């Protein structure tokens, strides 16, 4: 009698048994292994590093039911909140449709050309009603909501405030629940590029997926820095194709469309030896103590501190092998990225403990 009352009473939280946990379905994806079907995704990078082009390419392919560069997608409707204005976004969408032969072909996609204050309860309720209206208009579920950008959605708030970022995450959660879908927030990198996205660390902690977009010479690189429910992915390398939008009635116009490339192809399958790894850790430790730490982020390349280049050049391994090794060392707690008390407030890799010979 007591068990039945405990299960059915509205005064207790619902719990799951071991068997119920065992039969739970696996995580589902909007873009296979990249964008979850339910969650908060943050896609960030510096200004001019093509993050909006990448985001539009993702969600337009989902809206049209196309695969995303070889990755299966699950089609849904999209509401894109263009907080930084509709005109630039409009040109990019126009170019994307032209490049893919979809001019004049409709899809369940709508653009909201003003920012929505995600910390204001009244604005959130208005956004929910807007989503419902769009769902009825396109006759399709709206499973993706894009916020471009995070900063425009929290006007007057301090991005470094834990309280403000917690409220932003709560607002996104309310929209996720209303849509039974995913919110994608487009965000900026911080001034210290080695330290990731701008603002309070609450933002990184509260998201399900974090994707960094960075230009590396002529290539735009996507790096998945956090994937709560999936396997780690290799970096994705894109080139940007110029699409001519000139109509003959005015000035020349063009936009960019992402094209998947192969990235750096390893010349050989050489792996780091145990002795080389030991030397690398010693070098990382010495660089940290000297106040010029190695960094795991490509932005440090111009300062000669990018660990991938340093390892690849010195030990003759591919950049992919170097990057994979650094990632694994960080995941297993041997290395951390940390701010030090250095000139210029640099941050970088610090050795927490040395690997054992069997790594």
């Amino acid at each position: 009698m007591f068990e039945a009352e405990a299960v059915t009473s509205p005064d207790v939280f619902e719990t799951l048994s071991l068997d119920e946990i065992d039969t739970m379905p696996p995580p589902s994806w909007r873009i296979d292994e990249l964008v979850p079907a339910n969650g908060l995704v943050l896609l960030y990078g510096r200004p001019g590093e093509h993050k909006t082009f990448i985001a539009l390419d993702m969600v337009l392919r989902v809206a049209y039911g196309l695969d995303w560069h070889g990755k299966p997608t699950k089609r849904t409707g999209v509401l894109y909140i263009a907080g930084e204005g509709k005109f630039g976004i409009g040109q990019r969408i126009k170019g994307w449709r032209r490049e893919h032969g979809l001019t004049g072909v409709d899809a369940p996609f709508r653009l909201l050309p003003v920012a929505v204050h995600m910390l204001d309860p009244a604005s959130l309720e208005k956004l929910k009603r807007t989503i419902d209206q769009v769902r009825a208009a396109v006759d399709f579920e709206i499973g993706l909501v894009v916020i471009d950008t995070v900063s425009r959605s929290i006007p007057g708030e301090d991005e470094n405030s834990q309280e403000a970022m917690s409220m932003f995450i709560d607002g996104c959660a309310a929209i996720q629940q209303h849509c039974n879908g995913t919110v994608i927030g487009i965000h900026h990198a911080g001034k210290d590029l080695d330290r990731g996205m701008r603002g309070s660390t609450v933002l990184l902690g509260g998201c399900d997926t974090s994707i960094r977009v960075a230009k590396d010479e002529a290539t735009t690189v996507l790096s998945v820095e956090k994937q709560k429910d999936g396997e780690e992915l290799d970096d994705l390398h894109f080139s940007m194709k110029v699409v001519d939008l000139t109509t003959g009635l005015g000035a020349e116009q063009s936009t960019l469309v992402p094209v998947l490339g192969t990235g750096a192809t390893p010349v050989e399958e050489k792996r780091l030896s145990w002795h080389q790894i030991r030397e690398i850790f010693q070098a990382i430790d010495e660089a940290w103590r000297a106040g010029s730490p190695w960094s795991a982020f490509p932005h440090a390349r111009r300062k000669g501190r990018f660990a991938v280049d340093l390892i690849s050049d010195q030990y003759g391994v591919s950049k992919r092998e170097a990057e994979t090794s650094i990632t694994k060392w960080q995941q297993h707690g041997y290395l951390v990225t940390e701010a030090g008390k250095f000139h210029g407030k640099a941050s970088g890799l610090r050795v927490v403990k040395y690997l054992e010979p069997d790594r």
Side-chain angles (χ1 to χ4, degrees), residues 89-99 103 245 247 255:
I89 291 288
Q91 290 293 89
R92 295 171 186 184
I93 293 173
K94 181 179 179 180
W96 187 94
R97 295 176 79 195
R98 179 174 295 184
E99 173 64 18
T103 301
L245 296 177
T247 62
T255 188

Side-chain angles (χ1 to χ4, degrees), residues 20-306:
E20 288 171 325
I21 295 171
D22 193 54
T23 57
M24 289 175 62
S28 57
W29 301 95
R30 191 61 62 192
I31 298 177
D32 192 42
E33 298 182 327
L34 184 68
V35 175
N38 299 87
L40 173 60
V41 176
L42 294 173
L43 190 149
Y44 79 94
R46 297 186 299 184
E49 296 211 319
H50 303 147
K51 54 186 178 291
T52 299
F53 292 102
I54 295 294
L56 279 171
D57 184 57
M58 287 178 172
V59 299
L60 283 168
R61 286 175 178 270
V62 169
Y64 275 103
L66 305 174
D67 73 85
W68 189 72
H69 304 284
K71 289 184 175 294
T73 64
K74 185 178 180 181
R75 193 181 188 195
T76 191
V78 176
L79 179 64
Y80 195 107
I81 304 173
E84 298 192 347
K86 63 184 178 181
F87 297 106
I89 291 288
Q91 290 293 89
R92 295 171 186 184
I93 293 173
K94 181 179 179 180
W96 187 94
R97 295 176 79 195
R98 179 174 295 184
E99 173 64 18
H100 294 91
L102 292 168
T103 301
V105 180
D106 202 10
F109 180 100
R110 289 293 186 272
L111 187 71
L112 199 169
V114 295
V116 175
H117 194 336
M118 294 295 291
L119 276 58
D120 175 50
S123 295
L124 283 175
E125 291 304 313
K126 186 175 181 179
L127 178 55
K128 291 177 184 179
R129 294 193 298 271
T130 302
I131 290 169
D132 293 340
Q133 182 186 59
V134 170
R135 181 189 296 118
V138 300
D139 194 23
F140 220 96
E141 290 298 318
I142 305 300
L144 274 178
V145 176
V146 182
I147 300 173
D148 186 359
T149 59
V150 171
S151 61
R152 289 299 182 100
S153 72
I154 55 170
E157 300 290 341
D158 181 3
E159 292 180 353
N160 293 307
S161 165
Q162 292 187 5
E163 182 180 3
M165 286 295 98
S166 294
M167 291 176 66
F168 172 79
I169 292 169
D170 289 343
C172 291
I175 299 304
Q176 291 166 228
Q177 185 175 10
H178 186 75
C179 296
N180 189 27
T182 294
V183 172
I184 298 178
I186 300 178
H187 195 33
H188 297 291
K191 290 183 180 179
D192 184 352
L193 298 175
D194 290 355
R195 300 185 68 179
M197 70 180 71
R198 196 165 72 188
S200 170
T201 55
V202 168
L203 197 55
L204 178 60
C207 73
D208 298 278
T209 303
S210 171
I211 303 172
R212 186 183 76 232
V213 180
K215 279 182 65 177
D216 182 5
E217 299 177 354
T219 302
T220 300
V221 183
L222 262 69
S223 302
V224 179
E225 295 184 326
K226 177 182 178 181
Q227 188 63 278
K228 183 178 178 181
D229 293 319
E231 301 293 332
E232 66 179 63
L233 296 177
D234 291 335
D235 287 354
L236 298 170
H237 300 255
F238 292 86
S239 60
M240 291 290 163
K241 181 178 180 179
V242 178
V243 177
D244 185 9
L245 296 177
T246 304
T247 62
L249 301 177
E252 293 185 359
Q253 299 179 39
S254 64
T255 188
L256 302 175
V257 173
V259 178
L260 183 65
T262 57
T265 303
V267 175
E268 55 183 359
E269 296 298 324
K270 181 179 178 181
R271 302 294 301 276
L272 291 167
S273 69
W274 160 246
H275 294 292
Q276 290 173 330
I277 294 172
R278 186 75 180 180
E279 288 180 6
I280 290 168
F281 270 61
Q282 289 173 343
I284 292 173
D285 193 25
E286 291 171 3
W288 172 267
R289 295 175 187 278
S292 184
W294 292 16
S295 171
F297 294 101
H299 314 96
R301 179 178 282 115
R302 67 181 184 276
K303 297 181 181 178
R305 298 194 293 113
F306 186 35

